[in-house]
Amino acid sequence: MDITIHASFLPHHDPDASLAFYRDTLGFEVRKDVGYNGMHWITVGPADQPDVSIVLYPPGADPGITDDERRTITEMMAKGTYAIATLATHDLDATFERLQASGAEVVQEPTEQPYGIRDCAFRDPAGNLLRIDELR
């Protein structure tokens, strides 16, 4: 079986802030930028990994959820408890400094975890938790 990860989805509520964070702060390239009925989907990813993407999507886009569910999603996003992505880098300290200097919300400074990794954590403009592992 030949299966790879192609795309993961993270919600956003401000396409301009999300675009600035993922493109300008993380250095991801923009692969698609699509608007439809007042909503906005942005596909981004690392330039050296063209087959792996993150789709930043409007959480209210799914017609199968109720207004109450939309409100719950919005509340969870505001608290930073709705979505998580784990990224990785060879230079965690430099990555941490760049993100911190950008004004991104720091959740955890670089830390050696008892389960064998060193990582840090931030929130993107929508409140999504981004953990960044150090590759060794």
Side-chain angles (χ1 to χ4, degrees), residues 65-108:
I65 61 174
T66 67
D67 288 340
D68 285 341
E69 290 168 332
R70 263 188 206 90
R71 277 190 292 280
T72 299
I73 290 168
T74 300
E75 290 169 6
M76 291 178 72
M77 285 173 64
K79 292 190 319 186
T81 58
Y82 186 69
I84 298 171
T86 301
L87 308 175
T89 183
H90 287 284
D91 191 344
L92 185 65
D93 294 317
T95 301
F96 177 83
E97 288 174 17
R98 180 177 174 180
L99 284 163
Q100 186 177 37
S102 79
E105 181 187 344
V106 176
V107 175
Q108 174 204 301

Coordinates of all heavy atoms in Angstrom, one line a residue, residues 65-108:
I65 N -23.3 21.3 9.6 CA -23.2 21.6 11.0 C -24.3 22.6 11.3 O -24.7 23.4 10.5 CB -21.8 22.1 11.5 CG1 -21.4 23.3 10.7 CG2 -20.8 21.0 11.3 CD1 -20.1 23.9 11.3
T66 N -24.8 22.6 12.5 CA -25.8 23.5 13.0 C -25.2 24.9 13.4 O -24.0 25.0 13.6 CB -26.6 22.9 14.1 OG1 -25.7 22.8 15.3 CG2 -27.2 21.6 13.8
D67 N -26.1 25.9 13.6 CA -25.6 27.1 14.1 C -25.0 27.0 15.5 O -24.0 27.6 15.8 CB -26.7 28.2 14.2 CG -27.2 28.6 12.8 OD1 -26.3 28.5 11.8 OD2 -28.3 29.1 12.6
D68 N -25.6 26.1 16.3 CA -25.0 25.9 17.7 C -23.6 25.2 17.6 O -22.7 25.6 18.3 CB -25.9 24.9 18.5 CG -27.1 25.6 19.0 OD1 -27.2 26.9 19.1 OD2 -28.1 24.9 19.4
E69 N -23.4 24.3 16.6 CA -22.1 23.7 16.4 C -21.1 24.7 15.9 O -20.0 24.7 16.4 CB -22.2 22.5 15.5 CG -23.0 21.3 16.0 CD -23.4 20.3 15.0 OE1 -23.6 20.6 13.8 OE2 -23.5 19.1 15.4
R70 N -21.5 25.6 15.0 CA -20.7 26.7 14.6 C -20.2 27.6 15.7 O -19.0 27.9 15.8 CB -21.4 27.5 13.5 CG -21.0 27.1 12.1 CD -21.6 28.1 11.1 NE -21.8 27.3 9.9 CZ -22.9 26.7 9.6 NH1 -23.9 26.7 10.3 NH2 -22.9 26.0 8.4
R71 N -21.1 27.9 16.6 CA -20.8 28.7 17.8 C -19.8 28.0 18.7 O -18.9 28.6 19.2 CB -22.1 29.1 18.6 CG -22.8 30.3 18.0 CD -23.9 30.8 18.9 NE -25.0 29.9 19.0 CZ -26.0 29.8 18.2 NH1 -26.0 30.5 17.1 NH2 -26.9 28.9 18.3
T72 N -20.0 26.7 18.9 CA -19.1 25.9 19.7 C -17.7 25.9 19.1 O -16.7 26.0 19.8 CB -19.6 24.5 19.9 OG1 -20.9 24.6 20.6 CG2 -18.7 23.6 20.7
I73 N -17.6 25.7 17.8 CA -16.3 25.7 17.1 C -15.7 27.0 17.3 O -14.5 27.1 17.6 CB -16.5 25.3 15.6 CG1 -16.9 23.8 15.4 CG2 -15.2 25.6 14.8 CD1 -17.4 23.5 14.1
T74 N -16.4 28.1 17.1 CA -15.8 29.4 17.2 C -15.3 29.6 18.6 O -14.2 30.2 18.8 CB -16.9 30.5 16.9 OG1 -17.3 30.3 15.5 CG2 -16.3 31.9 17.0
E75 N -16.1 29.2 19.6 CA -15.6 29.3 21.0 C -14.4 28.5 21.3 O -13.4 28.9 22.0 CB -16.7 28.9 22.0 CG -17.9 29.8 22.0 CD -19.1 29.2 22.8 OE1 -19.0 28.1 23.3 OE2 -20.2 29.9 22.7
M76 N -14.3 27.3 20.8 CA -13.2 26.4 21.0 C -11.9 27.0 20.3 O -10.8 26.9 20.8 CB -13.4 25.0 20.5 CG -14.5 24.3 21.4 SD -14.8 22.6 20.8 CE -13.3 21.8 21.1
M77 N -12.1 27.6 19.1 CA -11.0 28.2 18.4 C -10.5 29.3 19.2 O -9.2 29.5 19.3 CB -11.5 28.7 17.0 CG -11.6 27.6 16.0 SD -12.4 28.2 14.4 CE -11.1 29.4 13.9
A78 N -11.3 30.2 19.8 CA -10.9 31.3 20.6 C -10.1 30.8 21.8 O -9.2 31.5 22.2 CB -12.1 32.1 21.0
K79 N -10.4 29.7 22.3 CA -9.7 29.1 23.5 C -8.5 28.4 23.1 O -7.6 28.0 23.9 CB -10.6 28.2 24.3 CG -11.7 28.9 25.0 CD -12.4 28.1 26.0 CE -12.7 26.7 25.6 NZ -13.5 25.9 26.5
G80 N -8.3 28.1 21.8 CA -7.2 27.3 21.3 C -7.3 25.8 21.5 O -6.3 25.1 21.6
T81 N -8.6 25.3 21.6 CA -8.8 23.9 21.9 C -9.4 23.1 20.8 O -9.8 22.0 20.9 CB -9.6 23.7 23.2 OG1 -10.9 24.4 23.0 CG2 -9.0 24.3 24.4
Y82 N -9.5 23.7 19.6 CA -10.2 23.0 18.5 C -9.3 22.3 17.6 O -9.6 21.1 17.2 CB -11.0 24.1 17.7 CG -11.9 23.4 16.6 CD1 -13.0 22.7 17.0 CD2 -11.6 23.5 15.3 CE1 -13.8 22.0 16.1 CE2 -12.4 22.9 14.3 CZ -13.5 22.2 14.7 OH -14.2 21.5 13.8
A83 N -8.1 22.8 17.2 CA -7.3 22.2 16.2 C -5.8 22.2 16.6 O -5.4 23.2 17.2 CB -7.5 22.8 14.8
I84 N -5.1 21.2 16.2 CA -3.6 21.1 16.5 C -2.9 20.6 15.2 O -3.4 19.7 14.6 CB -3.4 20.1 17.6 CG1 -4.1 20.6 18.9 CG2 -1.9 20.0 17.9 CD1 -4.0 19.6 20.0
A85 N -1.7 21.1 15.0 CA -0.9 20.6 14.0 C 0.5 20.5 14.6 O 0.9 21.4 15.4 CB -0.8 21.5 12.7
T86 N 1.3 19.5 14.2 CA 2.7 19.3 14.7 C 3.6 19.5 13.4 O 3.4 18.8 12.5 CB 2.9 18.0 15.3 OG1 2.0 17.9 16.4 CG2 4.3 17.9 15.8
L87 N 4.5 20.5 13.5 CA 5.5 20.7 12.5 C 6.8 20.3 13.1 O 6.9 19.9 14.2 CB 5.5 22.2 12.2 CG 4.2 22.9 11.9 CD1 4.3 24.4 11.7 CD2 3.5 22.2 10.6
A88 N 7.9 20.3 12.2 CA 9.2 19.9 12.7 C 10.3 20.7 12.0 O 10.1 21.2 10.9 CB 9.4 18.4 12.4
T89 N 11.4 20.9 12.7 CA 12.5 21.7 12.2 C 13.8 21.1 12.8 O 13.8 20.5 13.8 CB 12.4 23.2 12.7 OG1 13.4 23.9 12.1 CG2 12.4 23.3 14.2
H90 N 14.9 21.4 12.0 CA 16.2 21.0 12.5 C 16.8 22.0 13.5 O 17.7 21.6 14.3 CB 17.2 20.8 11.3 CG 16.9 19.6 10.5 ND1 17.2 18.3 10.9 CD2 16.3 19.5 9.3 CE1 16.8 17.5 10.0 NE2 16.2 18.1 9.0
D91 N 16.3 23.2 13.5 CA 16.8 24.2 14.4 C 15.7 24.8 15.2 O 15.2 25.9 14.8 CB 17.6 25.3 13.6 CG 18.4 26.3 14.5 OD1 18.1 26.3 15.7 OD2 19.2 27.0 14.0
L92 N 15.3 24.2 16.3 CA 14.2 24.6 17.1 C 14.4 26.0 17.7 O 13.5 26.8 17.7 CB 13.9 23.6 18.2 CG 12.6 23.8 19.0 CD1 11.4 23.7 18.2 CD2 12.6 22.9 20.2
D93 N 15.6 26.3 18.2 CA 15.9 27.5 18.8 C 15.7 28.7 17.8 O 15.1 29.7 18.2 CB 17.2 27.6 19.5 CG 17.3 26.6 20.6 OD1 16.4 26.5 21.4 OD2 18.3 25.9 20.7
A94 N 16.2 28.6 16.6 CA 16.1 29.7 15.7 C 14.6 29.8 15.2 O 14.1 30.9 15.1 CB 17.0 29.4 14.4
T95 N 13.9 28.7 15.1 CA 12.5 28.8 14.7 C 11.7 29.4 15.8 O 10.9 30.3 15.5 CB 12.0 27.3 14.4 OG1 12.7 26.8 13.3 CG2 10.5 27.3 14.0
F96 N 12.0 29.0 17.0 CA 11.3 29.6 18.2 C 11.5 31.2 18.2 O 10.6 31.9 18.4 CB 11.7 29.0 19.5 CG 11.1 29.7 20.7 CD1 9.8 29.3 21.1 CD2 11.7 30.7 21.4 CE1 9.2 29.9 22.2 CE2 11.1 31.3 22.5 CZ 9.9 30.9 22.9
E97 N 12.8 31.6 18.0 CA 13.1 33.0 18.1 C 12.4 33.8 17.0 O 11.9 34.9 17.2 CB 14.6 33.2 18.0 CG 15.3 32.8 19.3 CD 16.9 32.9 19.1 OE1 17.4 33.5 18.2 OE2 17.5 32.2 19.9
R98 N 12.3 33.2 15.8 CA 11.6 33.9 14.7 C 10.2 34.0 14.9 O 9.6 35.1 14.7 CB 11.9 33.1 13.4 CG 11.2 33.7 12.2 CD 11.5 32.9 10.9 NE 10.7 33.4 9.8 CZ 10.8 33.0 8.6 NH1 11.6 32.0 8.3 NH2 10.0 33.5 7.7
L99 N 9.5 32.9 15.4 CA 8.1 33.0 15.7 C 7.8 34.0 16.9 O 6.9 34.8 16.8 CB 7.6 31.6 16.1 CG 7.4 30.7 14.8 CD1 7.2 29.3 15.2 CD2 6.1 31.2 14.0
Q100 N 8.6 33.9 17.9 CA 8.4 34.8 19.1 C 8.6 36.3 18.6 O 7.8 37.1 19.0 CB 9.4 34.5 20.2 CG 9.2 35.3 21.4 CD 10.2 34.9 22.5 OE1 11.3 34.6 22.3 NE2 9.7 34.8 23.7
A101 N 9.6 36.6 17.8 CA 9.8 37.9 17.3 C 8.7 38.4 16.4 O 8.4 39.6 16.3 CB 11.2 38.0 16.5
S102 N 8.0 37.5 15.8 CA 6.8 37.9 14.9 C 5.6 38.3 15.7 O 4.7 38.9 15.2 CB 6.4 36.7 14.0 OG 5.7 35.8 14.8
G103 N 5.7 38.0 17.0 CA 4.5 38.4 17.9 C 3.5 37.2 18.0 O 2.5 37.4 18.7
A104 N 3.9 36.0 17.5 CA 3.0 34.9 17.6 C 2.9 34.6 19.1 O 3.8 34.7 19.9 CB 3.6 33.7 16.9
E105 N 1.7 34.1 19.5 CA 1.4 33.7 20.9 C 2.2 32.5 21.3 O 2.0 31.4 20.8 CB -0.1 33.5 21.1 CG -0.4 33.1 22.6 CD -1.8 32.7 22.8 OE1 -2.7 33.0 21.9 OE2 -2.1 32.2 23.8
V106 N 3.1 32.7 22.3 CA 3.9 31.5 22.8 C 3.1 30.8 23.8 O 2.6 31.3 24.7 CB 5.2 32.0 23.4 CG1 6.0 30.9 24.1 CG2 6.1 32.8 22.5
V107 N 3.0 29.5 23.6 CA 2.4 28.6 24.5 C 3.4 27.8 25.4 O 3.2 27.6 26.6 CB 1.5 27.5 23.8 CG1 0.9 26.5 24.7 CG2 0.4 28.3 23.0
Q108 N 4.5 27.5 24.7 CA 5.6 26.7 25.5 C 6.9 27.0 24.8 O 7.1 26.9 23.6 CB 5.3 25.2 25.4 CG 6.4 24.4 26.0 CD 6.4 23.0 25.4 OE1 5.4 22.3 25.6 NE2 7.5 22.6 24.8

